[in-house]
Amino acid sequence: MKLLEGKTVLVTGASTGIGRAAAIGAAQHGADVAINYAHSDGPAQSCVTEIKALGQRAIAVKGDVADPQTAQDFVAKAVETFGKVDVMVSNAGICPFHAFLDMPVEVVERTFKVNLHGAYFMVQAAAQQMVKQGHGGSIVAVSSISALVGGEYQTHYTPTKAGVHSLMQSTAIALGKHGIRCNSVLPGTILTEINKDDLADQEKREYMEKRTPLGRLGAPEDLAGPIVFLASDMAAYVTGAALLVDGGMYVNLQ
Ligand code: NAD
Ligand code: RM4
């Protein structure tokens, strides 16, 4: 059964990792997909090629989500190409691991701007378009287990993920009257570029694996199903919710 037939899905930061898996997962479920990306063209184009090979339409639009104008341009380009926006997956994020006491101001400000301001303006731009269209929509934000628990080298990052989680709660209220649902996924530890260096520390990696009741760290594809589900009409009565996708890591105290 295809869950997103005829839908237009937008995904930020989708040339790699969880965003890419979500974009491809949406296409496998019948959606046309617009992806935002920030850096090199190659991975973005390869994502587009993969989606087209599934028989769906796809475009890649370059832009830094930290700039509010990027959100307006991304939505405008998607509407120009596909005629509408049904789903926004706000995924782009960074986590430059760093100790707290000597954290550079620029690292804090950049992390806040990309992760939280970026999500805010993307969600707002998508919602403005959805309200104009008048037939509702679904917004899924990629928050994190780190919205709920801390990290010694993530003091600049965890507040942004708590912020994204909170943003989905407040926008669920603000947009419910327009039939727009807002939910977040809270991934645990998923093997991607974002934590490649951090998890090169074997001891840390083994600790994280041992903490996970399902016995392994996640793959980006582990997020595709939950994101597609929340985006789809299967979740028609789900809004303001946060779905942990962490192999059980969060609940594992002892
Ligand atoms: P990733 O590095 O593969 O993906 C992040 C993507 O965001 C990259 O494609 C990157 O180019 C893009 N990006 C970064 N800055 C951007 C900007 N300014 N504008 C536009 N795009 C930008 O890593 P990932 O793990 O797939 O991360 C995706 C999201 O998942 C992030 O928000 C991250 O916080 C969240 N997350 C990841 C994990 C994990 O363990 N990997 C866990 C919880 C949450
Ligand atoms: C997640 C979580 C993971 C970490 C990534 C970067 O939110 O904290 O453990 O590897 O961020």
Side-chain angles (χ1 to χ4, degrees), residues 12-19 36-39 63-66 91-95 110 114-115 142-145 157 161 186-195:
T12 68
S15 56
T16 64
I18 293 168
N36 150 271
Y37 69 106
H39 306 298
D64 177 352
V65 298
N91 163 79
I94 55 171
C95 182
R110 180 69 185 156
V114 173
N115 294 7
V142 180
S143 173
S144 172
I145 188 174
Y157 173 78
K161 291 289 145 177
L186 278 51
T189 300
I190 313 299
L191 294 166
T192 68
E193 279 301 312
I194 209 171
N195 50 25

Side-chain angles (χ1 to χ4, degrees), residues 32-70:
D32 292 326
V33 185
I35 68 165
N36 150 271
Y37 69 106
H39 306 298
S40 32
D41 298 338
Q45 282 315 320
S46 107
C47 183
V48 164
T49 304
E50 205 167 319
I51 291 169
K52 286 183 176 166
L54 291 164
Q56 300 302 135
R57 294 182 293 163
I59 55 164
V61 186
K62 194 168 185 168
D64 177 352
V65 298
D67 177 356
Q69 189 58 41
T70 298

Side-chain angles (χ1 to χ4, degrees), residues 16-223:
T16 64
I18 293 168
R20 184 187 180 100
I24 290 166
Q28 284 166 339
H29 278 274
D32 292 326
V33 185
I35 68 165
N36 150 271
Y37 69 106
H39 306 298
S40 32
D41 298 338
Q45 282 315 320
S46 107
C47 183
V48 164
T49 304
E50 205 167 319
I51 291 169
K52 286 183 176 166
L54 291 164
Q56 300 302 135
R57 294 182 293 163
I59 55 164
V61 186
K62 194 168 185 168
D64 177 352
V65 298
D67 177 356
Q69 189 58 41
T70 298
Q72 295 295 327
D73 294 347
F74 184 39
V75 168
K77 190 82 192 156
V79 172
E80 186 189 311
T81 311
F82 302 126
K84 63 189 173 101
V85 172
D86 299 302
V87 175
M88 165 63 80
V89 181
S90 173
N91 163 79
I94 55 171
C95 182
F97 287 80
H98 201 288
F100 176 55
L101 293 176
D102 60 349
M103 177 75 76
V105 172
E106 323 70 84
V107 176
V108 176
E109 289 183 345
R110 180 69 185 156
T111 306
F112 281 20
K113 276 206 172 132
V114 173
N115 294 7
L116 187 51
H117 299 198
Y120 192 100
F121 293 117
M122 277 293 172
V123 168
Q124 187 188 43
Q128 287 165 343
Q129 177 60 28
M130 288 169 182
V131 169
K132 209 188 298 173
Q133 292 168 186
H135 54 79
S138 173
I139 294 170
V140 183
V142 180
S143 173
S144 172
I145 188 174
S146 300
L148 310 178
V149 287
E152 180 176 358
Y153 298 100
Q154 296 178 306
T155 56
H156 51 328
Y157 173 78
T158 61
T160 68
K161 291 289 145 177
V164 166
H165 168 54
S166 168
L167 176 65
M168 287 301 96
Q169 295 181 323
S170 289
T171 55
I173 303 166
L175 299 172
K177 56 176 162 296
H178 299 288
I180 301 169
R181 299 180 297 101
C182 301
N183 297 289
S184 58
V185 287
L186 278 51
T189 300
I190 313 299
L191 294 166
T192 68
E193 279 301 312
I194 209 171
N195 50 25
K196 209 165 145 202
D197 294 342
D198 183 54
L199 295 173
D201 174 348
Q202 248 340 89
E203 210 179 311
K204 180 163 186 183
R205 184 172 168 150
E206 277 165 28
Y207 161 73
M208 304 295 259
E209 281 166 357
K210 276 215 183 99
R211 232 200 108 138
T212 310
L214 290 183
R216 65 171 176 87
L217 298 182
E221 293 69 29
D222 288 320
L223 268 301

